[in-house]
Every structure is written in C-alpha cells, then in structure tokens.
Amino acid sequence: MISLYRKGNKWTKQKRRIVIITVILVLFSVLTLVTSRSASNIEIIFKDTIANLEYYIIKAPIQYVTGLFEEYNDLKDVYEENAKLKEQLDNLARESAMNEVLTNELNDLKEIMDIDHLPTEYQVKYTNVIARDAQNWNNQVTINLGKLSGVQEGMAVVNAQGMIGTVTNVSEISSTVSLLSSESAKSQLPVMILSGEEQYYGLLNHYDINTHKYSITLLSDVEKIEKDAKVVTSGLGGVGKSPKGILIGTVESYTSGDDATESVCDVTPSVDFNSLNDVAVVQRVNEQ
C-alpha cells in the first residue's frame, strides 16, 4: 500500500509540472501573438487621442507664443524702416525746397553774368545695352544710339550709379562704349576729388581687375585725402567730353609720393560693371 501511495504522489507532482509548463507556453504564445499583430481600432483611436492632446496642450501653445514674438519682431522692424523712410522723405522735401531756391539764385546769377550754360549742365539720352561680348566683358558694350541720335565720340555714358565709360566708336544707329573697367583704356579721364572743403584734380589711369579699383594719379601736391571722399568728373577733358560732376566712385586709400605725379588714389567704383542694362549718353547743354 505504501508503495502504491508513493507512486501516486509522484505521478501527481509530474502532472503539476506538466500543467505549469503548458500554461507558461500558452501565455508566451499569447503574448507573442498580441505583440506581433496589428493594432486594433481602439488602440489606434487611443494613440490618436494622446497625440492630439499632446499637440493642443503642449505644442500648439508653444507655437502660438513663438509666432507672437516673431510678429512682434517683424512689426518692430517695419516700424524702424518706416521711421527711416519718413526721415528720408523729410530730408527730400527740405532738399527739394533748397534745390529750387538755389536754382532760382543760379539763374539770376547767370543772367547777371551773361552766362548761358555752366560746365555742370548737361542732358541725357536714355538707351539700352544691346550687346556685350564675353571675351570683352570688362572692356566694352554696344548701345542702340548712334549718329542719327546725335551721339559723338568722347561723350560720357552713365547709369543710375554713375559713369560707366565713354563712346569710342559711332555708327548710324549704334555706338561702342569703352568701359572704365577696361584694363586697356587708351585715354585718361580728368577727375576731381571732393575731400572735405578741398578739391583736388587728377587723372583716372586704369582699372585693376583683381582689386576692382580705379587708380588715379594726382595733378597737385596733396598731404591727405579723406577715405570715402567722392570722385567726380572734372569737366576738363575738352569739347565733346564728359561734363563736370558725374560720379565716378569713392576714395579707398591714398598714397603720397615725392611729387604730384607719384601720388596715387585707389578708388572704389560707384558702378557695378556686372550689371549694365539701362544707360544714358550724356551731352553738354552748350554743345547741342
């Protein structure tokens, strides 16, 4: 009897072990199936709800506040720009009024002195650049005005920024303009440097394609020239040449020599020679 009881007890323990192992295997299989299957509709709705709550409670307020700061900064920039524009308009109104007064005074003086025209008076004939050879990009352009429009060799050609060159060849309906950026310029352009209350005269010799600067030789002894002093045409080139007062550029540096001919200015051009489209031929009033 004892032997049979021991055998029955041993058999019961083995069955328990088998049941436990079976349950573990079933649970493992169920977990594997749940984790590997696609999410149910309820789970998808739950995830979307959490994502929406995260956006509207956290992200949206942060974006709103950030947007307010950006709009404030934009409005601040617009306000500052408007203030500058208003100041410029006020200055323009004052300068226009002063220009009208000076023009009237100038006309009165011309009448008293029996002078018809001044060196700074000129008219312009507007035109366009119609050709620019890649091989001569820095040397010349072609414009669509010629002899029929009264264009002559030696006349200055300008754009809104200043002088770009001079007319060197004229046909009936077009002209070739030699640019001031040409390294092979054959003539020197008479210029005037306005440094403070002083005026100095010189000759524009050439353009350095590497530094993008003009080289100007002074014609008189000069001790000092202010940086950023304006350089304009002097009007001393003779009949048919550039009138007085056309902007050339600003002084970058000045090197004094033992005499006037060794004193040189490096000048930054006022013109962007890479962008030449709308231009004008300049004609002195007293040479029409």
Side-chain angles (χ1 to χ4, degrees):
M1 291 290 293
I2 295 173
S3 177
L4 291 174
Y5 175 77
R6 289 179 177 175
K7 290 181 179 180
N9 190 26
K10 185 176 180 181
W11 174 248
T12 302
K13 290 182 179 179
Q14 289 178 350
K15 288 200 299 184
R16 287 178 182 177
R17 290 175 182 173
I18 292 172
V19 170
I20 291 171
I21 293 171
T22 303
V23 170
I24 291 173
L25 291 173
V26 170
L27 289 175
F28 180 77
S29 300
V30 171
L31 288 174
T32 303
L33 180 63
V34 169
T35 55
S36 61
R37 69 178 176 82
S38 300
S40 65
N41 291 333
I42 295 176
E43 290 173 331
I44 293 173
I45 293 172
F46 179 76
K47 290 180 180 179
D48 291 343
T49 302
I50 296 298
N52 288 330
L53 289 174
E54 180 184 5
Y55 174 77
Y56 287 107
I57 294 176
I58 300 175
K59 293 182 179 179
I62 292 175
Q63 291 177 357
Y64 177 75
V65 174
T66 303
L68 286 179
F69 278 108
E70 291 177 352
E71 290 181 2
Y72 171 77
N73 291 329
D74 291 341
L75 288 174
K76 184 179 178 182
D77 293 339
V78 170
Y79 175 80
E80 292 176 352
E81 291 176 0
N82 286 339
K84 292 179 181 179
L85 289 174
K86 185 178 182 301
E87 183 179 356
Q88 292 176 358
L89 287 175
D90 292 340
N91 292 335
L92 180 61
R94 287 194 296 269
E95 290 176 0
S96 297
M98 180 60 69
N99 184 56
E100 185 175 353
V101 171
L102 293 175
T103 299
N104 293 332
E105 291 181 354
L106 184 60
N107 290 333
D108 292 339
L109 290 173
K110 285 165 62 179
E111 185 175 352
I112 293 172
M113 300 297 294
D114 193 23
I115 298 174
D116 293 329
H117 304 288
L118 295 174
T120 53
E121 291 184 279
Y122 58 85
Q123 292 184 345
V124 295
K125 296 181 178 180
Y126 295 99
T127 183
N128 304 103
V129 174
I130 58 174
R132 191 174 188 182
D133 188 353
Q135 294 182 347
N136 292 303
W137 185 262
N138 294 311
N139 297 328
Q140 63 185 37
V141 296
T142 302
I143 59 175
N144 61 346
L145 285 181
K147 293 179 181 178
L148 295 178
S149 301
V151 177
Q152 299 176 7
E153 291 185 10
M155 288 185 172
V157 181
V158 302
N159 69 0
Q161 300 169 324
M163 184 170 176
I164 69 168
T166 57
V167 176
T168 53
N169 188 25
V170 184
S171 66
E172 295 298 318
I173 59 173
S174 66
S175 301
T176 300
V177 179
S178 291
L179 301 176
L180 295 182
S181 61
S182 174
E183 289 187 300
S184 58
K186 296 179 181 179
S187 60
Q188 296 174 313
L189 178 68
V191 298
M192 180 171 60
I193 301 172
L194 309 176
S195 180
E197 297 181 355
E198 301 294 332
Q199 298 179 357
Y200 305 110
Y201 293 87
L203 295 173
L204 194 158
N205 293 317
H206 68 275
Y207 174 84
D208 191 324
I209 196 171
N210 295 316
T211 62
H212 305 292
K213 299 287 188 296
Y214 296 129
S215 177
I216 293 177
T217 300
L218 277 298
L219 297 177
S220 56
D221 293 332
V222 180
E223 293 183 1
K224 180 181 178 181
I225 294 180
E226 296 177 353
K227 179 179 171 59
D228 296 328
K230 284 188 169 51
V231 181
V232 299
T233 55
S234 66
L236 301 179
V239 177
K241 305 299 182 180
S242 303
K244 183 178 181 180
I246 300 177
L247 183 62
I248 298 296
T250 55
V251 172
E252 177 67 25
S253 62
Y254 168 67
T255 304
S256 60
D258 296 334
D259 55 43
T261 59
E262 295 181 357
S263 299
V264 176
C265 271
D266 288 331
V267 174
T268 302
S270 61
V271 172
D272 179 8
F273 287 103
N274 289 320
S275 179
L276 300 177
N277 297 305
D278 300 319
V279 298
V281 179
V282 177
Q283 184 179 28
R284 292 188 183 190
V285 173
N286 59 345
E287 294 177 1
Q288 296 183 38

